[in-house]
Amino acid sequence: MIDDHRSACPINLSLEVFGDKWSLLIIRDMIFGGKRHFRELLRSQEGISSNILADRLKTLLEIGMLTKRDDPSHKQKAIYSLTEMAIALVPIMAHLGAWGRRYLPVSEELSIRAQLMEEGGPVLWERFMDELRAEHLGVSRASDGPSVRQTLQAAYEEVMTRKAKEREPANAGS
Amino acid sequence: MIDDHRSACPINLSLEVFGDKWSLLIIRDMIFGGKRHFRELLRSQEGISSNILADRLKTLLEIGMLTKRDDPSHKQKAIYSLTEMAIALVPIMAHLGAWGRRYLPVSEELSIRAQLMEEGGPVLWERFMDELRAEHLGVSRASDGPSVRQTLQAAYEEVMTRKAKEREPANAGS
DNA sequence: GCAACTGCTTTCAAAATGATATCAGTAATT
DNA sequence: AATTACTGATATCATTTTGAAAGCAGTTGC
């Protein structure tokens, strides 16, 4: 099998890799959600079915976007890791998030991360990528303070808490 | 129809817009190839079929990525234009191209544009976007020197010419 | 010992894809 | 005036992909 690609254009080849509805969402959940196991990925916001998830994971492994190894703590668990190729998508994720936030009907709670990524700019993206390298590639890293993912997650939860309060204003005793 | 979206996450919504094999390629051909007509878009590198092209154009119009108007010079011709929403994808195109160039088996001639876009950085992208606004939105622009698209196209043709020469070294008389 | 959890696989219906042919009108060519 | 080529699509139909749901052989925690 040499190559059955439609064309050798970089944009076309990129789209052949993740030009579908699910592949990039799986990467997103691993990057921003810290998910590493099949069952974790199955609980995506969007509700992927298990056969599709299995198929996409297989493809992503073949392409070299992910690696897979056994979880020492459980004989049936597999740990999926991002490769550098996937970690390099962080800036694209940031741009995609910024674009979606500007032009599409996003919700506040699900776009707060995108907002922080946009505001943080390339400096934040690089820091995030370093953290991901440490987490997925075993590269050591000088860690100081909370991780980027923790910061993004905290902001998300803050919005959720505030929204919950706004929905039931001072009727705890009702 | 309120919204039958899977989730209001900006990345998910972005993927619902162009998370398929063709939509972004159509936008690419309009941005980098300067294509404006149905038949022009039909002659893509990758060979899209006419029914798929028609369907995607319709969707892109509905979403608001494109507009369509009559061509004064031909009663059956339609002119497709990019909206600001689509022009805003230029940085994403640049990143996608750079990523593809780094990790996928691209050809030199089809990736020279991506290389120049990467080297040009945000400054070049902005200039390109201004040119596209002038071309597609009728925004006036202070034009000096060759357009970004012309520069990219010239670089592409230079590579093609060089490659043609390398293939037949000095056997013009054979 | 039993319920819950593990990463999948199977089944089957529905939807999307895509190659090919076609169309009715327009324009350029001869 | 006749022919040829071009316009933006549609229609047909086979193949491929998608996806919901159920199931499975083990493993683990209680």
Side-chain angles (χ1 to χ4, degrees):
Chain A
M1 51 160 171
I2 309 152
D3 57 344
D4 50 350
H5 298 300
R6 297 183 301 187
S7 90
C9 160
I11 292 178
N12 173 57
L13 289 175
S14 298
L15 286 176
E16 287 188 12
V17 171
F18 47 73
D20 77 279
K21 301 282 186 197
W22 291 113
S23 301
L24 216 53
L25 292 184
I26 294 170
I27 307 285
R28 176 203 64 181
D29 281 351
M30 292 187 69
I31 289 179
F32 296 101
K35 300 182 180 178
R36 307 292 296 266
H37 303 293
F38 191 92
R39 295 273 175 171
E40 283 178 324
L41 291 164
L42 208 49
R43 291 179 228 117
S44 73
Q45 280 280 339
E46 292 83 10
I48 191 172
S49 22
S50 57
N51 51 350
I52 307 291
L53 176 58
D55 178 81
R56 291 305 181 281
L57 285 174
K58 193 176 141 223
T59 306
L60 290 171
L61 285 170
E62 284 167 3
I63 291 169
M65 299 266 284
L66 301 179
T67 56
K68 178 184 177 181
R69 63 186 161 87
D70 291 342
D71 186 334
S73 78
H74 190 304
K75 285 193 178 171
Q76 280 189 318
K77 268 188 177 173
I79 299 181
Y80 289 94
S81 300
L82 301 167
T83 63
E84 179 61 31
M85 190 181 178
I87 294 172
L89 289 176
V90 163
I92 292 181
M93 291 279 185
H95 275 280
L96 270 183
W99 186 86
R101 216 163 68 81
R102 193 149 298 133
Y103 295 105
L104 302 174
V106 302
S107 69
E108 188 190 357
E109 64 269 24
L110 290 182
S111 62
I112 181 69
R113 287 189 191 84
Q115 185 186 338
L116 293 181
M117 286 291 283
E118 191 177 355
E119 289 168 3
V123 173
L124 183 73
W125 307 344
E126 276 304 328
R127 221 184 102 203
F128 196 7
M129 289 166 73
D130 273 343
E131 289 172 10
L132 290 170
R133 285 186 193 104
E135 199 178 339
H136 290 259
L137 307 176
V139 178
S140 65
R141 175 184 73 90
S143 67
D144 50 345
S147 73
V148 173
R149 182 157 60 230
Q150 282 169 352
T151 308
L152 298 178
Q153 181 67 18
Y156 163 70
E157 280 162 15
E158 196 184 309
V159 173
M160 288 297 275
T161 311
R162 178 168 52 70
K163 285 213 158 188
K165 275 184 191 158
E166 282 169 11
R167 236 172 283 119
E168 40 161 331
N171 56 346
S174 67
Chain B
M1 52 158 171
I2 311 155
D3 56 345
D4 50 350
H5 299 301
R6 297 184 300 188
S7 91
C9 161
I11 292 178
N12 173 57
L13 290 174
S14 298
L15 286 176
E16 287 187 10
V17 171
F18 46 74
D20 75 279
K21 301 282 186 198
W22 291 111
S23 301
L24 258 196
L25 292 183
I26 294 170
I27 307 285
R28 176 203 65 180
D29 282 352
M30 293 186 69
I31 290 180
F32 296 100
K35 300 183 179 177
R36 307 292 294 265
H37 304 293
F38 191 92
R39 294 273 175 173
E40 283 178 323
L41 291 165
L42 209 49
R43 292 181 227 118
S44 72
Q45 280 280 339
E46 292 83 9
I48 189 172
S49 22
S50 57
N51 51 354
I52 306 291
L53 175 58
D55 178 81
R56 291 306 181 282
L57 286 174
K58 194 175 141 222
T59 306
L60 290 171
L61 285 170
E62 284 168 3
I63 291 168
M65 300 266 285
L66 301 179
T67 57
K68 178 184 177 181
R69 63 186 160 86
D70 290 343
D71 186 333
S73 79
H74 190 304
K75 286 193 179 172
Q76 280 188 319
K77 269 189 178 174
I79 300 181
Y80 289 92
S81 300
L82 301 168
T83 63
E84 178 63 30
M85 191 181 176
I87 294 172
L89 289 177
V90 164
I92 292 181
M93 292 279 185
H95 275 281
L96 271 182
W99 185 85
R101 217 165 66 81
R102 194 149 298 134
Y103 295 105
L104 302 175
V106 303
S107 71
E108 187 189 359
E109 65 270 23
L110 291 182
S111 62
I112 180 70
R113 287 189 191 84
Q115 184 185 338
L116 293 181
M117 286 290 283
E118 191 177 355
E119 288 168 3
V123 172
L124 183 72
W125 308 345
E126 276 304 327
R127 220 184 104 204
F128 196 8
M129 289 166 74
D130 273 343
E131 289 171 9
L132 290 170
R133 284 186 194 105
E135 199 177 339
H136 291 259
L137 306 177
V139 178
S140 66
R141 176 184 72 90
S143 67
D144 48 346
S147 71
V148 173
R149 181 157 60 230
Q150 282 169 352
T151 308
L152 298 178
Q153 181 66 19
Y156 163 70
E157 279 161 15
E158 196 185 310
V159 172
M160 289 296 278
T161 311
R162 177 167 53 70
K163 284 212 156 187
K165 274 184 191 157
E166 283 170 12
R167 234 172 284 119
E168 40 162 330
N171 56 344
S174 68

